[in-house]
Structures are given as structure tokens and as C-alpha cells.
Amino acid sequence: MSIFVDETTRVLVQGITGKEGSFWTKHMIEMGTQVIAGVTPGKEGETVEGVPVYHSVARAQRASGEHAADAAMLFVPPRFTKDAVYEALDASIQKIVTIADGIPLHEQIEIRAAARSQGAQVVGGNTSGVISPGKSMLGIFPYWIQRVYKPGRIGIMTRSGSLTNEVTAMIVEQGFGVSTLIGVGGDPVPGTRFAEFLAQFEEDADTDGVVIVGELGGTMEEEVAEAITEGRFTKPLVAFIGGRTAPKGKRMGHAGAIVTGSAGTVLAKAEALTKAGALVADRPSQVGTMLRTRIPETR
Amino acid sequence: MSIFVDETTRVLVQGITGKEGSFWTKHMIEMGTQVIAGVTPGKEGETVEGVPVYHSVARAQRASGEHAADAAMLFVPPRFTKDAVYEALDASIQKIVTIADGIPLHEQIEIRAAARSQGAQVVGGNTSGVISPGKSMLGIFPYWIQRVYKPGRIGIMTRSGSLTNEVTAMIVEQGFGVSTLIGVGGDPVPGTRFAEFLAQFEEDADTDGVVIVGELGGTMEEEVAEAITEGRFTKPLVAFIGGRTAPKGKRMGHAGAIVTGSAGTVLAKAEALTKAGALVADRPSQVGTMLRTRIPETR
Amino acid sequence: MKRLEFQGKELFSSAGIPVPASRLVRVSEPDGTPTDGGTQALHARLLDAVAELTQEAKGPLASLVVKAQLDMGGRGKAGLIQLVRADNGTGQDLASAVVAAAGQILDKGYRIPALLIEEAVDLREELYLSISVDPCAACHVVLASREGGVDIETLAAERPDAIRRLDVDPFRGIQAYQTRGLAYDLGLDKTTARNFASLLTKLYALFTRVDAELVEINPVFVTSGEPELVAGDAKVIIDDNSLYRHTEFPIEREQYDSDAAFEAALEGIPYLQFDGTISLMCAGAGLTTTVFDLVNYEGGSVANYLEFGGPNYNKAQRAMELCLQNKSAVILIVTFGTIARADVMAEGVVNAIRTLKPDRPIVTCIRGTNEEGADRILREAGLEPMYNTEEAVRLAVKLAAGTEARV
Amino acid sequence: MKRLEFQGKELFSSAGIPVPASRLVRVSEPDGTPTDGGTQALHARLLDAVAELTQEAKGPLASLVVKAQLDMGGRGKAGLIQLVRADNGTGQDLASAVVAAAGQILDKGYRIPALLIEEAVDLREELYLSISVDPCAACHVVLASREGGVDIETLAAERPDAIRRLDVDPFRGIQAYQTRGLAYDLGLDKTTARNFASLLTKLYALFTRVDAELVEINPVFVTSGEPELVAGDAKVIIDDNSLYRHTEFPIEREQYDSDAAFEAALEGIPYLQFDGTISLMCAGAGLTTTVFDLVNYEGGSVANYLEFGGPNYNKAQRAMELCLQNKSAVILIVTFGTIARADVMAEGVVNAIRTLKPDRPIVTCIRGTNEEGADRILREAGLEPMYNTEEAVRLAVKLAAGTEARV
């Protein structure tokens, strides 16, 4: 198993005929992803990598009948992302991934609010997406790099892209692999937050533990600590949190990564997680070995 | 019993210190209504008919603690009604009655949409309100007129004010009385529609039958016919529908009462109801006698 | 409040919606007084309009459309819209043809405050597009069809599949994917789809900005050549309850079909003009409508529908004045009020009778809060109050028919 | 993008929010060049400002506030805001006092593009008011307090009950009952409550209109006498992702604390200026931040934070130019990219080295898509690529400390 996406997930690609859309559709299919339809207004009738293209999500869904998509992957510029998310939501798609980097803040808010109001999950923006290695990919992962994207039994959630490659490589080095990796994204208002995936990882029989790659700013790591404290998540959890030495009040890195006052410091996050019983690594290189202390057998 | 309001309903009055608010608060209390708090911004600390006044609904609810209001009665001008409804909804009040005549159409839409999104019922605007004679009143009924507001076992729903007095008098003349009378109001977009109260009347052990006082325009009467046809309402139902001879395309009476094309004619409504098994009166004077054919014993 | 076509098109222009080039030629002013100069001046204005349009077109105009501006459906069938051409066989030029058509239109006996002289659009297709509200779903509703230019209700009844519907959340407003999706669902080509989406976005913005009950473009012209979308007609109805925040829409004489209706509107009194013999002066929309029905059931006919309940219950004198403007034979007063106290209404009626000394019989059926007081007031004034609506209606019908004499 | 105080107050004025009467006196132009005329001309502009404010006040001014305009918290404590009075003991008049205060402020060694000369407000109370977003609840958040004028985060930590919070649905926007309710919950009297509700309504409209991350008024002055609310300060941060639709907010030199930071902003390259010895030129926000941490852990210090990943991954030359503007000892390049292909980045780095001939050692740790190609390119150019981030950091720190020589 895995969470959010697997080989049975039927995926619709919005913006499929664009440069990124067509490039990554090819790779998603190679990864095992069931891409059943694509959408680009004005291009109905074309195909991309054998996938039929429709004018709109609604038309694609109608054409697919009972085999309609249950997930949407967006390759849409940031300023049109809200519209594309609404379109997917309106077609009752409950799982949506957007990689767009630069979605206006007020639209990030609206995307999350709209998704929540219908119980849907939007992953992103400003993320590489979601991958269940060997099964399915909704995003732009270099899954061909074997020392990172090895299938296995560790769930990963992250706010970063490159840093995740760094950290995951350290986990794989210790003999682990990845069940599902979810990039929640580096925006101030990610569509779905760390803690909102924990229940799925908890239930997933094929996930033995979870690694979160956090950073300064916001409260996502604290929410994870709360979920552990409240017993909503009981599997081993290791966290790496970047930005411990970042100066206060400067926006370093992601727009979401800014500390004001004492809220959002890495210190506060690390304390909350440690108190909840999670392990917190100071350096990426420690993540794999820490995980090993909690999961002694190679999986 | 009765529906929507009875003697146990705790009522908050918005706009309580105004001329209408204070006048009708007195009458509501005389009718048995439990008025527990009033709201007028800037007048916290005053009382009206012994009822404490607060700046806001939230403050009134906080002050009332576990005995907070579960219904709100609005005496607020039409252009401020949307705000007052939102305020009540925000304080988790699920039953709201507004008599305001002249709520802007687009705000009528927003009121209904907002109420539905949290499963609340707004009655009105442009109505006399709701009365369960002898128990409770949220509105502006001349309950002192004995030949209309006699307690009994007939539920009444209406789009009109004066016409309802006319029709109800005919029902009472036949020896019946009223369990609950709900004026859904004459606006094009009433907060709650006829058919949305039918389930409550169906369940109410103290309601033997229902009379609806409809008029031309809209589809509320057709929705009642549908509910009967689908078996969602099984008690005797008699309808009087005004505007049978009204000319097409002219707005006669309520803003909601306009016929365009063949939709919304009294003929179409009467046919739908008759087909569903309801009785349809041509004149107000027939309503009571028709009801008597279905409910032979005086109740 | 219904806007006339030219007013609707002004709103369209302000919203960036393309409309055909046009000139308005007034027959009477907005306040109802005839425009200066009589027929000769009118002809001069028509010629000026044609000259200006010709100049604007930067080339010879082959044809123009002359459209009567009044609130009425089926203007085309009634001959109130005429297409005129320069070479229409009679040898006359375009300007003369316009003057001739205008004359024909004005001779038809309607009250026409103005004519719109409009460039004829070279088109390949006509669409239908409107936005209104859905009271049940509590949303805004867009209706669109490839079969524009026909009566939408007839189309809806006969071929509902030809109409596409789009629901819009009132809090979020219309979204790009919706306008685009509707365009493609209509089967429009890419360029037309883009223009359609843009048109709908603008029309929606107008709909919410002016608090409209309805905005309708029927037909939307799809021009020949590079397909552009142009509003062939304009129907805009403003929500009366919102007029307080729209001072740009004053109540004008030209929007009403009678002086009484106009004066009633200024007072905020619901009023409709008919040509029967019984003036209704009733309280409550539902009750007044029911009395209207009962009059018809009893073989009578209504001269005017008038409500003086609700906030107007102390306007008995003004209401009676409006009734007396009609050539009715009887005034029928029926009320059953709450806040509209029976005694206050009775007092108002009695005072109005004293002041106006009506020349026709008055039948009263005034009930509700403090009806005992009302009874006393009416009887003291020599009236004989009734308490059964149907009996009151029957009496009024008999009086109107002259079969019973009574004051 | 942070707006400076005077820019924020301009926005407040445009939104109908009262601000104190003021004049802006420029020290340098928005593009960073000194304003013409040197110290003498600056004094003349200060005197003009005082004269204009005096004239505007229609009466003698007792005091003025001189406020340095720069992006920095704690200006008061740093002596960058000074209240000056006419009769402050030294016998000098108000204008001379302003000139003296300005001189003191400018002598403190900060980069100050302008001074705001503002009327001092006679006040009886200071409030706090801000609007921002809540990422978790997905709504807009209003924070307000009776205890304005202090650091809100300190207040939040020490006396959270002194701050009231209001959540606003982003689709419906702020409602009258909410602004009113917050005002009364703060315990304001009726008049002040009304003014507060009006102020908040306007501030909310501004917040959404300019796509702000934050609008903050700290303090809101409650004036003596008839209580009016005036914005004592203005903090407005515009969402960078929305700047494409806000051409009214150009990127200007004066908003940045260094030329490199300004130039990086023009390129859309995330950049922060520090004063250490290692220039970071890394890809990915999270990874760059982590390398920043690792440099500090290893006892090194950072000269600049710079990301050239994402859409900028082919801007290696521009990025290296920015790094070379610093007095750093080493440039440390760490990447692990996806779309940002390793070979393209390596190629860019090699080309930049060829063109710019950097005078300091460069450490590379370039990984990700096509890292084999990157390895070849770097080695062909004579570099010795590394593949372990922590090792690369340690090497850079040693090189910067001069304990290891390497090119």
C-alpha cells in the first residue's frame, strides 16, 4: 500500500499540452501512474503520450464515465492555479496536486478554504508533488535517481524540494525506502498540512515510520507534535527542521519560512516534537541513523 | 407539540430597542415566548420588558452561558438584515426569523446560501414570522384575534400576510385550530421553502394536516407536490394559491409572484398538487371545508 | 426596475460589452413631456442620427435598424423594430427610409418615448445569454444557447437540451473555468469561445454591480468574418429593493405605462394599470391578488391593482387619489392587517372620502388589529363595513355592473 | 514587499483612513541617488515642510515628530523617531528643532532615504490593529488590542488576553457585525466603537485590494476630545506573488539594504545580505537554509544567502556576480535538483567562472537530474566536484578560515 496515490489512482492532468505538462506526463506514466485524461482549453481531440485531451475537466470526466479521474495533477501557471483547482473541485475530484510556485497569497487561502469546504485535499503549491515510488507519481520527482527514490516503508512529508532529496538520500543510505513522499510545499498557506496526512500514514499497513522535513516559520511541525501527544499518530517519527540559525524577522527561503517573535522558531518546534516523543535531527545526515534506532530491522 | 418554536425555545431579539422590536417583544412574551436576551449595538446594560440588552449576539450568548438562545428574532431594517443573519449564524443560532420587507435580492441569495451551508433555517424576510399559538411566537401576528389564532392541530405555511389571516379564519370557522403557522415570506428567495418544513410537520404528532397558502410564481408549491408524490409527506394537505387570473409577465403582489412563460402559473401548481393527491381550493372560503373532508373529526 | 433597451446598452458599454453603433432619437423626454419641436424636429433629429452613424462608419451604410424603446416583449412581431435599407426598391436613400420607418412605428399607437437607430450587424449566428438567480439553489444562474433570437421560454419548453445552464456560487462569483467551460460546451470554436467567456465575465460583473434580477442578451450576434460577439438587444432588470444604493437609476415617467403607475411608484405603492371597472385598494400582496382573482371569478373586471398595506397603510388618501384617476365605477377596499392597524386604515379612508369626495361607491372590508375601532369609525362616517371578503367582492361587482345602487 | 511608513500612510489615505498631517523630506531618491543640493538644501526642505505644516494647521504648532523612513523595527528605541517641541528649553523655535533632530537621526549611521515630518497628535489612548492570514484556518485574521504602541509579539507572549482575535471568511469578507462586535469586545465607548468599526472596514478593504500579507497600525491614536482614530504608524507588506498585478508597487532601491539585494530582487533571485565570509549560491529554499545552518554549525559565517534554483537555475552568472560583490572568501554551491538540471547548472557555473574569473575559491556540491553530466563538465573545467553536503560545507569553512588552500 501507500497513501494518497497508488497504481489504481486515476489521474487527470490539467495543462497537459504545455511544455512541463507533456514532459512530466511522460515521466508519470513511466512511473506507473494511470493518467487517464488531460485538459487544455481549445485542444480537445489531441493526445499527449496517448492520453486524450479535453477542453475542460467536466468534459473529461463526462467522457470517462464511471472511470472518471479521482485525482488531478496541475501543470498550470501560478496565477491560473486557483481557477484550475476550483475546476477540479467542481468536478468532484478530491485529490489535487499543484506544483505552481508563485500562487498569490490570497488565492492560496481561497484554495485551501474551498478544498476544506468539500473535504478535498490539495497538495501544494510550490512543491514537487506526491510520489509512491514504484507505483504512482503526481509531480516532478527525479525518481530515476536510485539513491533517493527507492520503494520502501517510510513515509516522508516535506516543505522543501532539494532538501528532501538530500534528506531522503540519507534515509535510503540506511537501507530504508519510501512508501509515499508528500511535498506539502513551501508556500505560507499549503493546501494540506503535515498533520492532515498523519491519519493516512497511521492507517497504512505498509508505512513503518514517518520522516518530516520541516523548516522555520508557521506551526505545521507543532501540529504534528500535537497529533503525537494526542495519540492520533503512534508510529516512529523523525524530524529534520531547517533554519535553526536563521536570523529573526528575515524571510529566508520559502515565503512560509519566517520567524516573528518566538513563534515558529526551529527551537520551539524541536522542543515540541521532542516532548511529544519524536526524534529531531540537527543535520540531514542524522535522519537515517535516528530512524534506524526506532526501526531496527531493514525495511 | 408544534414545530420550529414552542414554549421551550430560547429566543434572542436583534434590534430589541427599536420601536417595532420593543413593541413586538412585549407581545411575544405575552404569547408565552421565552425571550432571554436582546441585542442593540451601543445599548448593552439596558433592558426591554425585563429582557437584558447586549451589544452583540456573541456577547449575549456568552452571557447566557449554557442557557444561550437557540432562535433569533430580527427586528432589523432590510438593508442590515444580511449582517444580522450572519451575526446570528456565527453565534451558532440555527433558527432565525426576519420580518424585514425589502431585503436586496442578492442579499436574499446570500442569506439562504449561508444558512444552508451550516444547516440552519432562516424564515423570511417579508413575512409575519412563525407562531405556535398558545406556546410561542417569533414574529408580528395579531394573535389576539381569536377567530384566526386559535390553538389546534393544523399546520399552516404561507407566502402572504393578510391573505393568511383570511384563509386561517376560514379554517378556524370549521372548528380547526393551528399547531404552527410559518410565514415563509413573499420574497423571491425566501430563506426556507415550504417543502423544507414538511418533514417537521410530518413528524409532529400534534399536527393532523397542513394548509399551504401559495401564490403564482416560483416553484415552492411544485416542490410540495413532489414531496407528497415521493412519500416524504403523507398527512392531508390543502392548498390555496392566489393569482390564478393574474396577467402573464406583470409583477403582481410579492416580488416572487411573477409568471414568465408557463412556469409558475397557478394552473400548473394546482395540477401538480392535485396529481400528488392534495386538495386545491379556488377560493379562501373552500379551504376549511376541504380540510374537513379529509379530517372529519373536529381537532 | 426594468431598463429600456438603450439604457441596458449604455450599461453594457460601461461594462465593456460590445454593442452596435447607435443613436437615440427622443420622442418624449424621460419625464414624459414631448420633446421640443414636433414632427419636423423629430425628422431632423432622425436625419442627424443617420448622418452621424454614416460618418462614424467611415463608409456608406447599407442598412440600419429602427427600434422603438418601450417596455414590451415581442416588439419585432408588433412591427416596432424595422430593418431599413438604402436600396429597398423605392429608390429612397437610407435617411428617408429611416424617417419613413420611424413614422410607421410611431403610428402604431404605443406610447414610445424614444427610437434607437442602430447599425445593422453582419452576422453568422445568434446566441442567447442571461444571468438571473435560482431561489432554491441560492445561486446565480447563467443560461446560454446557440439558438438565440427566439423566445427563451418557448425554447425551454420545446427543446430544453438546446439550453445550457451554469450555477455560480454567490460568494465566489463566476470563475474563468466556468465561462470557458460553458463556451466549449456550447460547441463554439476557439476564438468565439474566448470572446464568449470574456463577454460572460463582463456581463456577470455588471449583474452583481447593478444588483440586477436579470441581465439578458437575446440575441448575442456572432459577427461574420473574425467572430466577434455583439449585444443585439439588452434586457436589464434592477432589483427594486436595491435601488436605494443605485441613485444612477431614478424612477422616470418613461418607464411606466400610465401616469398613475408612475405616481404610485414614486410613493412606493405597488400599482398596476388595467382597464376594468373596479379599483382595488387592498392591503397585502397575497390578499390583493386573491381579491383580483375573486373579482374575475365573479364576472367583474379590475381597473387597477393597488396595495396600500405594509409601510403604506397610512397613505389612504394618496391611494384613493390614484384610484380616482381611473374611470372605475367602484372602489373596493379589503384588508386584514397586523401592523397595518384596521382603525388607522379606516380613519385614513374616511378622511380621504371627506377630502376627495369620490364620485363612485366605496365598498370596505377592513379587518385585523383593532377592527372594532375601524368598525366604529366607518359607521360614524356613514359607511356600512363588511367582514366577508367574497361578499364584499360580489357587492362591488354588482355595483360596477350597475345592478345595485349603493353609496 | 514591505512598504515604508510614508508609503503605507499614502495607502491608508487612499483608503480613507485618517493619518496625521505630514510632509516627506527626501534624503535620497527612490533609486538610491542622493537628493540634489546636499545638507543645505536638505535643511531648506525641512524648513519648508515645517512652514507648510504650520500653515495647514491654521495656528501655531506646539510639536512635531521627525521619523526616519527605513525598513527596521524598533525605530523609537534606536533614536530614529524624535518628538520635537518649540519650547523645549533651549529657546529654539520648532523649525530649528526639527533641523537639529533630523541631523541627529541622519548621523546615526543608518541608510535613511527620507524623513517624515509629522504633526504630533494629542491623544488619550493607543490601540493596536492588524490584519493578516491564518494558514491553518484558511481565513483572514484581525488582531486588536487596547494596548497599542508596544511590540505585539511581546504582548502576545506575556498577556495574550490583552489581544482579541477575529476570523474573517475570505469569500464573504468582513461583515459589519464583526467590526462592531470587535469594537465593543475591546470595551470601547459608543463613539470610539463606531470609528473603530469604520477604520477596520477600510483597513480590510485595503488589505484585500493591495493583496497584502499584513496591514498593521501600531499604534492607532485615539485623539483627545471627541475621539477620532488616527493611524500613528503604517506597516504594509504586499504579497510578492501578487506584485504582477500591482504595478503601483515597483521594486525600488530604497526598499533594500544593499545594492546586491536590490539587484537580486530585480532578477527575482532570493537574496539576503550578511557580513560573513562564505557566499552561498545554492538551489532550493530548504536546502539553502540548511546549508546556512551547517555553515554556522561548523563555525563559519555567511556573507550572503542566495538561491539560484527553480526558475533561476540558468542564472549562474548573474548569481555569481552578486556573490562577488561581497567581500566573501569562498563561494559555496550546493544543489540537488529536479527540473533544475545538474548539468545545466554546472555548465552555468563553469561559464560564469570563465567570464568572471572569480578571485576566490569555489566549492561545488551539485546533484540531481543528470548529475553524471554535471560531474563531467565540472571536472573538465578543472573543478573537483563534491557529493556530500556536510563535507562541502566543512571544506568551505576551512577555506574561508584560511586553514586550507585550494582553488
Side-chain angles (χ1 to χ4, degrees), chain B:
Chain B
M1 262 179 64
S2 50
I3 78 156
F4 201 78
V5 282
D6 63 20
E7 62 280 13
T8 69
T9 309
R10 288 185 301 275
V11 179
L12 176 149
V13 175
Q14 289 172 259
I16 195 168
T17 63
K19 194 179 151 195
E20 279 200 354
S22 55
F23 178 83
W24 284 103
T25 294
K26 180 168 176 288
H27 283 292
M28 291 196 299
I29 291 170
E30 279 176 21
M31 184 71 227
T33 313
Q34 259 201 66
V35 180
I36 62 146
V39 167
T40 297
K43 302 219 166 165
E44 187 160 307
E46 298 185 8
T47 60
V48 172
E49 302 292 326
V51 174
V53 179
Y54 299 90
H55 288 316
S56 66
V57 176
R59 294 174 71 84
Q61 294 290 77
R62 282 199 294 268
S64 307
E66 60 189 38
H67 302 293
D70 33 39
M73 176 68 223
L74 274 56
F75 294 101
V76 168
R79 64 183 76 170
F80 304 124
T81 296
K82 183 182 87 171
D83 186 61
V85 169
Y86 281 8
E87 182 172 11
L89 289 173
D90 195 14
S92 301
I93 296 180
Q94 294 290 87
K95 294 174 180 182
I96 299 168
V97 177
T98 172
I99 58 159
D101 178 7
I103 303 170
L105 176 69
H106 287 233
E107 296 176 14
Q108 293 174 25
I109 291 276
E110 288 168 1
I111 287 169
R112 178 165 160 85
R116 282 186 3 141
S117 76
Q118 75 176 59
Q121 287 188 314
V122 173
V123 177
N126 196 3
T127 171
S128 305
V130 181
I131 183 168
S132 299
K135 294 174 180 168
S136 188
M137 168 170 88
L138 268 71
I140 51 168
F141 292 93
Y143 64 87
W144 48 80
I145 300 178
Q146 288 301 321
R147 64 187 158 96
V148 178
Y149 294 93
K150 190 185 137 198
R153 303 180 56 84
I154 301 300
I156 298 178
M157 293 193 287
T158 174
R159 293 168 69 177
S160 302
S162 308
L163 177 57
T164 308
N165 296 336
E166 179 84 32
V167 172
T168 312
M170 301 298 177
I171 299 169
V172 170
E173 208 175 281
Q174 288 295 321
F176 294 102
V178 177
S179 58
T180 300
L181 187 158
I182 296 182
V184 302
D187 278 344
V189 188
T192 312
R193 303 169 71 77
F194 281 166
E196 291 163 334
F197 290 110
L198 283 177
Q200 295 168 58
F201 277 124
E202 177 79 6
E203 275 178 25
D204 182 29
D206 292 336
T207 293
D208 293 338
V210 166
V211 169
I212 63 171
V213 182
E215 60 188 3
L216 72 163
T219 57
M220 282 209 294
E221 295 78 7
E222 287 84 341
E223 292 156 25
V224 168
E226 203 181 305
I228 297 172
T229 303
E230 292 175 359
R232 287 182 278 126
F233 187 73
T234 61
K235 296 181 180 181
L237 189 138
V238 177
F240 172 78
I241 308 170
R244 196 179 282 257
T245 64
K248 186 180 152 178
K250 293 256 183 189
R251 176 174 302 170
M252 179 172 283
H254 295 117
I258 185 166
V259 169
T260 52
S262 59
T265 63
V266 174
L267 200 67
K269 291 172 186 296
E271 273 180 14
L273 283 162
T274 305
K275 203 175 157 197
L279 296 175
V280 180
D282 285 335
R283 297 163 183 246
S285 57
Q286 298 168 335
V287 174
T289 49
M290 277 186 168
L291 200 57
R292 185 52 76 201
T293 66
R294 292 287 168 98
I295 307 172
E297 293 181 32
T298 300
R299 303 199 80 165

Side-chain angles (χ1 to χ4, degrees), chain B residues 79 86 102-107 112 140 144 147 160 165-166 188 243-245 251-253 260-261 283 285, chain C residues 135-136 153 171 212-213 239 241-242 244-245 286 289 292-293 296-298 305 336 338 367 369 371 389-390:
Chain B
R79 64 183 76 170
Y86 281 8
I103 303 170
L105 176 69
H106 287 233
E107 296 176 14
R112 178 165 160 85
I140 51 168
W144 48 80
R147 64 187 158 96
S160 302
N165 296 336
E166 179 84 32
R244 196 179 282 257
T245 64
R251 176 174 302 170
M252 179 172 283
T260 52
R283 297 163 183 246
S285 57
Chain C
C136 194
E153 281 137 14
F171 299 118
E213 282 175 31
D239 168 38
N241 289 350
S242 301
Y244 76 89
R245 59 190 177 204
T289 303
F292 184 96
D293 282 343
N296 285 314
Y297 292 167
E298 298 294 342
Y305 172 107
F336 206 140
T338 309
R367 294 142 312 162
T369 299
E371 62 188 33
T389 303
E390 290 182 41

Side-chain angles (χ1 to χ4, degrees), chain D residues 37-289:
Chain D
T39 307
Q40 213 168 350
L42 175 66
H43 286 182
R45 289 197 297 277
L46 288 166
L47 297 176
D48 284 351
V50 175
E52 285 174 30
L53 287 170
T54 306
Q55 193 170 18
E56 208 169 286
K58 293 184 180 117
L61 276 173
S63 52
L64 285 169
V65 188
V66 182
K67 307 173 93 174
Q69 300 297 292
L70 76 171
D71 170 19
M72 174 178 151
R75 285 179 298 161
K77 281 185 194 157
L80 296 175
I81 297 179
Q82 297 203 9
L83 175 68
V84 297
R85 298 174 199 279
D87 55 346
N88 58 357
T90 68
Q92 69 186 346
D93 65 6
L94 194 59
S96 316
V98 164
V99 170
Q104 283 171 29
I105 287 170
L106 294 174
D107 283 350
K108 289 195 188 287
Y110 295 94
R111 183 164 188 137
I112 297 169
L115 297 167
L116 191 65
I117 317 298
E118 201 171 70
E119 236 183 80
V121 172
D122 191 14
L123 57 98
R124 69 174 192 211
E125 188 180 353
E126 295 181 322
L127 312 178
Y128 173 89
L129 181 62
S130 73
I131 311 176
S132 55
V133 303
D134 180 328
C136 194
C139 64
H140 302 148
V141 179
V142 178
L143 296 180
S145 174
R146 292 292 286 267
E147 305 186 25
V150 300
D151 177 46
I152 190 70
E153 281 138 15
T154 309
L155 187 63
E158 291 171 5
R159 309 205 16 259
D161 288 353
I163 302 172
R164 299 206 71 103
R165 177 190 163 118
L166 169 71
D167 285 3
V168 180
D169 179 305
F171 299 118
R172 295 190 202 167
I174 207 162
Q175 305 294 325
Y177 80 89
Q178 295 180 306
T179 60
R180 205 168 56 214
L182 180 60
Y184 284 114
D185 282 349
L186 285 169
L188 299 173
D189 65 82
K190 197 167 169 178
T191 309
T192 311
R194 273 194 194 154
N195 290 336
F196 180 87
S198 160
L199 176 73
L200 177 50
T201 305
K202 289 167 181 170
L203 191 64
Y204 184 84
L206 177 67
F207 174 71
T208 55
R209 170 164 68 82
V210 300
D211 282 305
E213 280 177 32
L214 171 73
V215 290
E216 183 186 74
I217 316 182
N218 187 21
V220 178
F221 296 139
V222 184
T223 63
S224 303
E226 188 67 10
E228 285 173 26
L229 301 184
V230 179
D233 196 356
K235 189 166 177 185
V236 178
I237 307 179
I238 311 296
D239 168 38
D240 287 344
N241 289 350
S242 302
L243 284 176
Y244 76 89
R245 58 190 176 203
H246 291 287
T247 50
E248 71 271 32
F249 305 129
I251 293 173
E252 304 259 35
R253 172 64 187 84
E254 68 182 337
Q255 288 147 342
Y256 296 87
D257 54 8
S258 72
D259 289 337
F262 170 59
E263 288 166 27
L266 288 178
E267 293 275 358
I269 296 175
Y271 182 96
L272 288 173
Q273 186 67 57
F274 296 100
D275 52 7
T277 55
I278 300 175
S279 283
L280 304 189
M281 189 173 140
C282 304
L287 185 55
T288 313
T289 303

Side-chain angles (χ1 to χ4, degrees), chain D residues 3-34:
Chain D
R3 307 302 291 161
L4 296 173
E5 180 192 4
F6 76 93
Q7 296 169 323
K9 285 186 171 169
E10 282 169 9
L11 288 172
F12 285 0
S13 284
S14 75
I17 295 169
V19 296
S22 73
R23 285 295 180 281
L24 186 74
V25 174
R26 283 230 162 253
V27 179
S28 58
E29 296 303 302
D31 67 2
T33 58

Side-chain angles (χ1 to χ4, degrees), chain A residues 11-40 46-53 72-76 99 135-141 143-144, chain D residues 339:
Chain A
V11 178
L12 175 148
V13 175
Q14 287 172 261
I16 195 169
T17 62
K19 194 178 150 195
E20 279 199 355
S22 54
F23 178 82
W24 285 102
T25 294
K26 180 168 177 287
H27 283 292
M28 291 196 299
I29 292 170
E30 278 176 21
M31 184 71 227
T33 313
Q34 259 202 66
V35 180
I36 62 146
V39 167
T40 296
E46 298 185 9
T47 60
V48 172
E49 302 292 326
V51 175
V53 179
M73 176 68 223
L74 273 56
F75 294 101
V76 167
I99 57 158
K135 295 173 179 169
S136 187
M137 168 170 88
L138 268 71
I140 52 167
F141 292 92
Y143 65 86
W144 48 81
Chain D
I339 297 184

Side-chain angles (χ1 to χ4, degrees), chain D residues 278-282 288 291-292 295 302 304-306 323 332:
Chain D
I278 300 175
S279 283
L280 304 189
M281 189 173 140
C282 304
T288 313
V291 171
F292 183 95
V295 166
V302 172
N304 65 273
Y305 171 107
L306 184 154
C323 289
L332 171 59

